[in-house]
């Protein structure tokens, strides 16, 4: 289907005729009279037979060029077939811990030993790809919290920036409260019924200006639901000078993470391996179901350059003919 974005521009079509009727005609310039003693110096037959070329067809070309120019100004467009997009109306923010402790290699995926951040990237990347219809944002935090990606439907960009995240990028310590505060700020103006924050961390709050529990209380007032995920194996392999031994992982402040989730009507999860991490994301799909809604759009292709090109070509042709002496 074709349409004109600015159809009112067609009112300019009779503009040259109106100007011709309103403005006075240009005065005819007459050559000065020459006084000569005799007529022998003139070829009278040539003077009488020489006629000015007919330029009516050049006027027709000019009118056509003007019509093409006005049509281009009206911005003709081609509307494609309607495309339906699934939209859940949910705003989902991921807050990923980049502190130094995320370097601990206690995850295994496909027989390969991974550190905690690599495991998060693998599993969270798949989770992001499945979020069709949701707007996803990404916060990276360590000693400070940074908004890496604002809320967007561009899931590929969010996943790419997550995969490019590096340990220590935001500092060595952990500021969980600041990450929650930043999420509150970015989600404040969104629909309260669709705002979700997922915090992935492997430690305790050791930095920042905002206490995590206080930040969670503020999040509850704003209607922001928080799901917290503690990342790390149950036991950690340690090496000493004499032998290797296993120690229980007590670095995760599970009491604090549970309190954060409960204050916002969310839930705390513990991810001891990649299998549990995958199950957590599957459970989040059930806890935060995608609403069945659709939005549609019709792709638009601009066509103004076709009539504009035709107008330019005709104008150039008229100019060349006048310069060549066809019309004087």
């Amino acid at each position: 289907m074709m349409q004109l974005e600015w159809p009112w521009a067609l009112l300019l079509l009779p503009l040259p005729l109106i100007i011709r009727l309103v403005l006075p005609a240009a005065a005819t310039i007459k050559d000065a009279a020459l006084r000569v003693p005799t007529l022998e110096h003139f070829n009278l037959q040539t003077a009488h037979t020489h006629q000015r070329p007919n330029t009516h067809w050049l006027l027709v070309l000019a009118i056509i060029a003007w019509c093409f120019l006005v049509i281009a100004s009206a911005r003709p467009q081609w509307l494609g077939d309607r495309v339906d997009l699934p939209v859940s109306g949910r705003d989902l923010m991921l807050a990923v811990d980049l502190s130094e402790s995320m370097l601990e290699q206690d995850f295994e995926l496909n027989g390969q030993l991974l550190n905690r951040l690599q495991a998060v990237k693998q599993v969270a990347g798949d989770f992001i790809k499945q979020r069709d219809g949701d707007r996803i944002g990404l916060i990276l935090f360590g000693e400070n919290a940074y908004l890496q990606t604002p809320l967007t439907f561009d899931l590929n960009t969010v996943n790419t920036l997550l995969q490019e995240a590096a340990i220590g990028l935001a500092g060595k310590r952990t500021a969980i409260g600041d990450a929650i505060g930043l999420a509150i700020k970015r989600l404040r103006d969104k629909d309260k019924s669709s705002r979700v924050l997922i915090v992935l961390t492997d430690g305790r709050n050791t930095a920042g200006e905002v206490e995590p529990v206080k930040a969670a209380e503020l999040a509850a007032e704003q209607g922001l639901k928080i799901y917290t995920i503690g990342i790390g194996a149950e036991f950690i392999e340690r090496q000493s000078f004499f032998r290797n031994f296993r120690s229980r992982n007590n670095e995760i402040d599970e009491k604090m993470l549970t309190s954060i989730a409960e204050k916002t009507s969310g839930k705390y999860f513990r991810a001891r391996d990649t299998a549990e991490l995958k199950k957590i994301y599957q459970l989040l799909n059930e806890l935060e179901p995608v609403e069945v809604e659709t939005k549609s759009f019709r792709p638009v292709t601009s066509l103004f350059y076709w009539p504009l090109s035709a107008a330019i070509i005709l104008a150039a042709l008229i100019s060349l003919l006048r310069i060549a002496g066809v019309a004087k």
Side-chain angles (χ1 to χ4, degrees):
M1 177 180 175
M2 187 175 294
Q3 72 169 16
L4 297 177
E5 182 70 12
W6 297 339
W8 50 264
L10 297 179
L11 297 176
L12 297 174
L13 283 173
L15 182 60
L17 179 60
I18 295 175
I19 294 176
R20 178 65 181 86
L21 295 176
V22 173
L23 297 181
T28 302
I29 301 175
K30 297 182 178 180
D31 294 332
L34 297 176
R35 295 182 178 276
V36 294
T38 63
L39 298 178
E40 296 177 357
H41 300 283
F42 293 92
N43 188 338
L44 296 178
Q45 183 178 1
T46 303
H48 286 294
T49 58
H50 180 73
Q51 298 291 334
R52 187 174 182 178
N54 189 348
T55 59
H56 291 298
W57 62 278
L58 291 181
L59 178 60
V60 173
L61 290 178
I63 293 174
I64 296 174
W66 171 254
C67 292
F68 278 133
L69 184 61
V70 172
I71 293 174
S73 301
R75 294 185 61 187
Q77 298 175 339
W78 178 262
L79 295 180
D81 296 333
R82 188 178 69 177
V83 178
D84 293 329
L85 295 176
V87 177
S88 70
R90 176 172 50 193
D91 295 319
L92 181 61
M93 187 72 75
L94 295 178
V96 179
D97 188 353
L98 294 184
S99 60
E100 198 172 36
S101 57
M102 292 289 284
L103 285 172
E104 187 72 43
Q105 291 186 329
D106 54 359
F107 278 77
E108 186 176 343
L109 182 64
N110 299 327
Q112 182 180 4
L113 195 62
L114 304 176
N115 64 41
R116 294 169 181 174
L117 180 59
Q118 290 173 330
V120 169
K121 288 180 178 181
Q122 290 284 345
V123 181
D126 294 335
F127 176 75
I128 291 172
K129 293 176 183 178
Q130 298 172 8
R131 304 266 45 87
D132 287 338
D134 288 335
R135 292 198 303 173
I136 305 293
L138 178 62
I139 292 176
L140 302 178
F141 70 95
E143 193 168 343
N144 299 288
Y146 300 97
L147 180 68
Q148 186 73 354
T149 308
L151 291 172
T152 177
F153 289 110
D154 189 354
L155 304 182
N156 290 331
T157 297
V158 178
N159 188 31
T160 298
L161 293 176
L162 172 62
Q163 301 304 322
E164 293 177 351
I167 300 295
L169 184 65
K172 296 182 178 181
R173 297 190 294 168
T174 308
I176 299 174
D178 287 3
I180 297 174
L182 180 57
I184 295 172
K185 180 180 179 181
R186 290 296 175 177
L187 296 171
R188 181 178 301 168
D189 299 329
K190 310 304 178 183
D191 185 3
K192 290 185 177 181
S193 63
S194 64
R195 296 183 297 183
V196 178
L197 170 65
I198 300 176
V199 180
L200 300 101
T201 181
D202 70 336
R204 303 172 179 272
N205 188 74
T206 57
E209 300 179 359
V210 182
E211 288 294 327
V213 177
K214 292 293 184 181
E217 293 175 355
L218 180 59
E221 295 176 1
Q222 296 292 326
L224 173 62
K225 186 179 293 186
I226 302 177
Y227 294 98
T228 54
I229 301 177
I231 303 172
E234 190 72 28
F235 295 92
I236 302 176
E237 298 288 339
R238 300 296 186 188
Q239 293 181 350
S240 67
F241 184 77
F242 298 101
R243 65 184 178 89
N244 297 337
F245 64 94
R246 299 176 67 193
S247 64
R248 182 173 294 275
N249 182 7
N250 296 319
E251 297 177 357
I252 302 176
D253 191 346
E254 294 189 280
K255 182 179 180 180
M256 177 198 66
L257 296 177
T258 302
S259 178
I260 291 173
E262 291 178 348
K263 286 183 178 296
T264 61
S265 301
K267 192 173 181 178
Y268 167 68
F269 302 94
R270 176 67 186 272
R272 298 173 179 83
D273 51 40
T274 54
E276 282 191 334
L277 196 54
K278 290 180 180 179
K279 290 180 181 179
I280 290 171
Y281 284 131
Q282 293 174 358
L283 183 58
L284 286 173
N285 289 336
E286 299 175 3
L287 293 173
E288 299 297 331
V290 176
E291 301 173 10
V292 181
E293 295 183 9
T294 57
K295 287 187 177 181
S296 61
F297 77 99
R298 300 186 69 174
V300 178
T301 303
S302 296
L303 303 175
F304 73 92
Y305 49 85
W306 291 108
L308 180 60
S309 300
I312 293 175
I313 292 173
L314 288 176
L317 178 61
I318 294 171
S319 299
L320 290 175
L321 292 175
R322 293 184 63 89
I323 293 174
V326 175
K328 297 182 180 180

